[in-house]
Amino acid sequence: MIIGIPKEIKNNESRVALTASGVFELKQYGHHVLVEQGAGKGSGISDAEYESAGAEIVTDPHDIWRQAEMIVKVKEPIDEELRLARAGQIVFTYFHFASSIVLTEAMIGRGSVCIAYETVEKPDRSLPLLTPMSEVAGRMAVQQGARYLEKPVKGRGVLLGGVPGVPPGRVLILGAGIVGVQAAKMASGLGAHVTILDINTDRLRYINDILPPHVITQYSSQYTIRKLVQTHDLIIGAVLIPGTKAPNLVTRDMLKTMRPGTVIVDVAVDQGGCVETCVPTTHENPTYIIDDVLHYCVANMPGAVPFTSTLALTNSTLPYIINIANKGWKAACANDSALMKGLNVVEGKVVYRGVAEAFDLPLHDVVEVF
Ligand SMILES: NC(=O)c1ccc[n+]([C@@H]2O[C@H](COP(=O)([O-])OP(=O)(O)OC[C@H]3O[C@@H](n4cnc5c(N)ncnc54)[C@H](O)[C@@H]3O)[C@@H](O)[C@H]2O)c1
């Protein structure tokens, strides 16, 4: 199969969808890999390294989209990429369709086979291609939150760890999944007082077992959230209902009850955010202020640490890429229920319930596309 790796063009996105070692593996199976010139630069992978692993370096992205049977990316196609995708071409990347009608309609129109990393789901309901980036984003959320709590960048002026004789900062984490646990681990490691909420009591039990006693677990409810936001310095949004828009757990009216300089890091922004006032931002302009509350809502947080993120992502995606390349998407999905769940929009038909429901579009049974 001809596999294309375009350079990511989203603002400040320096990750790349395949490493030189991934190219080498695909070559072993007889596949041909086209890598756009400079695609790996931001992650420390040179064109020469790709070439020595067996890739063909291509200068014009149009050539990659025209020739490749499968495009492997990191972020959803944007701008011109939306016009380059072809009918029947496999596009394997993060799509997060439910948060964008524009993207959904565009990919329906292109007729490509869109397999979304974020909905590949194992029988135990874990999301193997979301996990590595969630681990990065969860850890980063605390790093960013700690930074924006500093006064010169308009935060409350609180040191998360406190110092001897001064109480630590208070961190509220909404959602105790992968992002939530990693954030709790980092925040508690800094010495902050941490409260973490979820509606899944098994997750709360797990956290209670593995994290230190200054991480407090609480069942998530509107009533509890309304109270807790008033006393916490850093609020991290980390909820997910797979394939659908995140629920608005922090509503606009709650902002006025928070202390000035409170920081919200809404990691769930890529699913529409779990804070009503969440608007996607970029690494260039990551924050904005509403009612004296600082919002950080960067939709591609791991893009800021590409050396770490590219390796973490490709460790997880490569086995799926190899499987699709070796068998074709139909056989690969038929033999792997996790990959089958990644099918979102296939040749113009929406086959993923969460996407159809988000925009009231007709839902096609996945068997129709085989
Ligand atoms: N901004 C970024 O760069 C970035 C990077 C990675 C992941 N994410 C996003 O972060 C979000 C979380 O990802 P994850 O991997 O931790 O998901 P996850 O499925 O592991 O965890 C989500 C948790 O939210 C909980 N939840 C659902 N409804 C809730 C509610 N009402 N109150 C409290 N908890 C609730 C679930 O029970 C689950 O434990 C996702 O939207 C994901 O796309 C964003």
Side-chain angles (χ1 to χ4, degrees), residues 134 137 177-179 198-199 220 238-240 267 270-271 298-302:
S134 291
I178 308 291
V179 169
D198 206 296
I199 46 174
S220 174
V239 306
L240 174 68
V267 184
D270 57 351
Q271 291 293 124
V298 175
N300 60 336
M301 293 172 70

Side-chain angles (χ1 to χ4, degrees), residues 1-8 16-18 23 26 31-37 39 50 55-58 60-74 81 86 89-93 117 321 325:
M1 185 181 276
I2 301 175
I3 298 153
I5 313 294
K7 184 172 160 50
E8 294 298 318
V16 61
L18 196 68
V23 170
L26 284 162
H31 303 297
H32 188 59
V33 185
L34 309 173
V35 176
E36 187 178 340
Q37 191 174 47
Y50 277 124
E56 180 188 341
I57 302 297
V58 178
D60 186 347
H62 292 75
D63 290 336
I64 295 194
W65 286 87
R66 193 170 56 243
Q67 291 179 56
E69 296 160 89
M70 170 160 62
I71 293 285
V72 187
K73 275 180 53 59
V74 178
E81 292 174 329
R86 291 185 291 107
Q89 184 175 49
I90 303 161
V91 184
F92 191 34
T93 190
Y117 289 165
I321 296 168

Side-chain angles (χ1 to χ4, degrees), residues 15 75 94 96 118 125 127 130-138 173-181 197-201 203 218-221 225 237-242 244 246-247 249 266-273 283 296-303:
R15 287 172 292 177
K75 295 305 287 184
Y94 287 118
H96 296 287
E118 71 277 5
R125 308 215 60 199
L127 304 165
L130 203 53
T131 300
M133 293 305 97
S134 291
E135 287 167 343
V136 173
I173 302 172
L174 309 172
I178 308 291
V179 169
V181 171
L197 312 186
D198 206 296
I199 46 174
N200 179 340
T201 44
R203 288 301 293 177
Q218 252 181 282
Y219 190 81
S220 174
S221 72
I225 293 169
V239 306
L240 174 68
I241 302 172
T244 59
L249 299 184
D266 196 350
V267 184
V269 55
D270 57 351
Q271 291 293 124
H283 289 295
Y296 173 102
C297 305
V298 175
N300 60 336
M301 293 172 70

Side-chain angles (χ1 to χ4, degrees), residues 27 53 61 139 188 306 357 370:
K27 287 296 283 185
R139 290 181 177 216
S188 61
E357 284 175 354
F370 276 82

Side-chain angles (χ1 to χ4, degrees), residues 156-177:
R156 278 197 78 219
V158 169
L159 183 64
L160 274 187
V163 286
V166 181
R170 297 170 73 87
V171 180
L172 173 64
I173 302 172
L174 309 172

